[in-house]
């Protein structure tokens, strides 16, 4: 076999092996996506109930109000103060091979920083995922907290420690407001990056939740509450649960988007490998046909010379 044919054949075999790997990775990502979608569906029921309770309390003005710089008497999570530093919780993946998933999140984070004139001096980063940690650390950003190794289907217990750290840093005035940046899963072929304010909790940060509840209750009397055992005891339970639901929901959503992006990236890689294989096989067949034609011509020419 001519050397050129051997090289092309070796490339064909190598590309076929690569396609087998990417196809297997696509199947794994699709399986993980199906698992987390089932888990997310059941969790969303709980999260919707927590949001409903919080929205009703906000409508009834049970949160009260705290002027800037003054601690809330209800919960530290409600305390509003002048913004000296902004916390940014960025959720990325621990690995690559997920298409544009990480780059979209990082780009949206940088755009958000430009819009709000944020830099290393007036911002604090909390990163979930190795990609975001490495990116912002290399750029000399203030990464005050990092978490890696989130499960493919995250468990609620994982989030408790994250939420505890996030809220303690807010209470200790490491930052004065907190935004969450993550990739929101739309469907299996589409996702979009969301940037939402998490702390301090107020009617403004609740935003669309309160608006939707007000629309639902437009013809009803505004809710009022009598608290038992006490208002502080109720909020000490409800508000941390709301914070947990927000962070856990964002991580679940981000992981769902990550698996979908990985599946799409591996499918695209498999399709591209198939195109390369087709092109190489055509090239191989043409070269092989040319080699055979040359051999036949030489044989016929030799026979004619003998005659």
């Amino acid at each position: 076999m001519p050397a050129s044919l051997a090289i092309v054949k070796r490339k064909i075999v190598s590309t076929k092996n690569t396609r087998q790997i990417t196809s297997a990775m696509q199947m794994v990502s699709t399986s993980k996506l199906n698992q987390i979608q089932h888990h997310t569906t059941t969790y969303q029921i709980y999260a919707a109930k927590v949001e409903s309770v919080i929205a009703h309390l906000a409508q009834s003005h049970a949160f009260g109000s705290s002027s800037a710089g003054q601690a809330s008497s209800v919960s530290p999570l409600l305390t509003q103060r002048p913004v000296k530093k902004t916390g940014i919780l960025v959720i990325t993946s621990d690995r690559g091979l997920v298409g544009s998933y990480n780059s979209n999140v990082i780009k949206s984070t940088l755009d958000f920083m430009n819009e709000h004139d944020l830099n290393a001096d007036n911002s604090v980063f909390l990163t979930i995922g190795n990609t975001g940690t490495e990116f912002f650390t290399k750029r000399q950003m203030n990464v005050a907290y990092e978490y890696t190794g989130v499960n493919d289907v995250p468990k609620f217990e994982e989030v408790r420690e994250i939420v505890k750290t996030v809220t303690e840093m807010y209470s200790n005035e490491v930052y004065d407001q907190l935004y969450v940046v993550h990739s929101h899963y739309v469907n299996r072929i589409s996702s979009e990056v969301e940037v939402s304010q998490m702390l301090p909790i107020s009617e403004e940060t609740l935003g669309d939740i309160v608006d939707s509840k007000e629309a639902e209750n437009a013809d009803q009397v505004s809710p009022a509450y009598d608290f038992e055992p006490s208002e502080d005891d109720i909020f000490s339970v409800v508000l941390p649960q709301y914070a947990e639901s927000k962070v856990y929901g964002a991580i679940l959503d981000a992981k769902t988007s990550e698996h979908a992006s990985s599946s799409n990236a591996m499918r695209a890689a498999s399709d591209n490998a198939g195109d390369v294989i087709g092109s190489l096989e055509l090239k191989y067949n043409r070269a092989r046909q040319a080699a055979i034609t040359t051999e036949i011509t030489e044989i016929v020419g030799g026979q004619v010379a003998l005659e």
Side-chain angles (χ1 to χ4, degrees), residues 236-255:
S236 67
V237 174
V238 174
L239 291 177
Q241 285 186 350
Y242 174 72
E244 288 174 351
S245 72
K246 290 292 289 182
V247 176
Y248 184 51
I251 293 175
L252 271 180
D253 196 14
K255 270 294 179 182

Side-chain angles (χ1 to χ4, degrees), residues 92-96 102-103 106 128-136:
T92 58
S93 70
D94 288 320
R95 57 184 179 82
N102 289 315
S103 59
I106 291 173
I128 299 178
N130 190 56
T131 303
T133 302
E134 290 185 350
F135 180 88
F136 292 108

Side-chain angles (χ1 to χ4, degrees), residues 33-280:
L33 176 60
N34 293 334
Q35 292 178 37
I36 198 170
Q37 279 185 306
H38 174 73
H39 188 70
T40 302
T41 300
T42 56
Y43 174 74
Q44 285 175 341
I45 299 173
Y46 163 79
K49 293 296 183 182
V50 174
E51 287 184 348
S52 179
V53 171
I54 292 294
H56 278 299
L57 293 174
Q59 283 180 269
S60 66
H61 305 290
F63 287 168
S65 61
S66 60
S67 58
Q70 181 180 0
S72 169
S73 60
V74 178
S75 169
L77 301 182
L78 301 175
T79 300
Q80 299 186 41
R81 51 181 178 261
V83 179
K84 298 177 181 178
K85 286 199 174 184
T86 298
I88 307 175
L89 176 62
V90 183
I91 304 175
T92 58
S93 70
D94 288 320
R95 57 184 179 82
L97 302 178
V98 289
S100 60
Y101 171 82
N102 289 315
S103 59
N104 288 340
V105 173
I106 291 173
K107 180 180 182 301
S108 294
T109 304
L110 296 177
D111 290 343
F112 172 78
M113 293 180 68
N114 290 332
E115 291 173 4
H116 294 79
D117 296 323
L118 299 177
N119 50 52
D121 296 326
N122 59 7
S123 64
V124 178
F125 279 89
L126 301 88
T127 57
I128 299 178
N130 190 56
T131 303
T133 302
E134 290 185 350
F135 180 88
F136 292 108
T137 300
K138 287 180 180 178
R139 282 153 184 79
Q140 307 301 317
M141 294 296 176
N142 181 12
V143 180
Y145 176 77
E146 58 185 82
Y147 188 96
T148 58
V150 176
N151 288 327
D152 291 323
V153 182
K155 302 298 182 183
F156 191 76
E157 289 72 19
E158 287 186 80
V159 177
R160 290 188 183 277
E161 188 61 32
I162 298 175
V163 174
K164 180 181 178 182
T165 302
V166 167
T167 54
E168 284 181 351
M169 292 174 71
Y170 180 76
S171 299
N172 295 333
E173 300 187 15
V174 176
Y175 45 79
D176 305 299
Q177 61 181 1
L178 177 67
Y179 286 85
V180 180
V181 185
H182 76 284
S183 180
H184 168 60
Y185 174 80
V186 178
N187 53 50
R188 288 178 178 261
I189 60 174
S190 177
S191 62
E192 57 187 21
V193 179
E194 286 189 351
V195 182
S196 58
Q197 186 174 351
M198 177 181 165
L199 295 174
I201 299 174
S202 65
E203 292 186 40
E204 292 181 0
T205 57
L206 289 173
D208 295 338
I209 302 173
V210 175
D211 293 339
S212 64
K213 292 300 177 184
E214 288 179 346
E216 291 176 9
N217 301 325
D219 299 326
Q220 301 178 15
V221 178
S222 298
Y225 289 86
D226 289 327
F227 293 95
E228 178 65 33
S230 70
E231 181 178 305
D232 290 346
D233 290 338
I234 297 297
F235 278 101
S236 67
V237 174
V238 174
L239 291 177
Q241 285 186 350
Y242 174 72
E244 288 174 351
S245 72
K246 290 292 289 182
V247 176
Y248 184 51
I251 293 175
L252 271 180
D253 196 14
K255 270 294 179 182
T256 305
S257 179
E258 178 186 336
H259 294 323
S261 296
S262 177
S263 177
N264 292 334
M266 292 303 99
R267 184 179 66 250
S270 298
D271 293 343
N272 290 337
D275 293 340
V276 172
I277 290 170
S279 176
L280 288 173

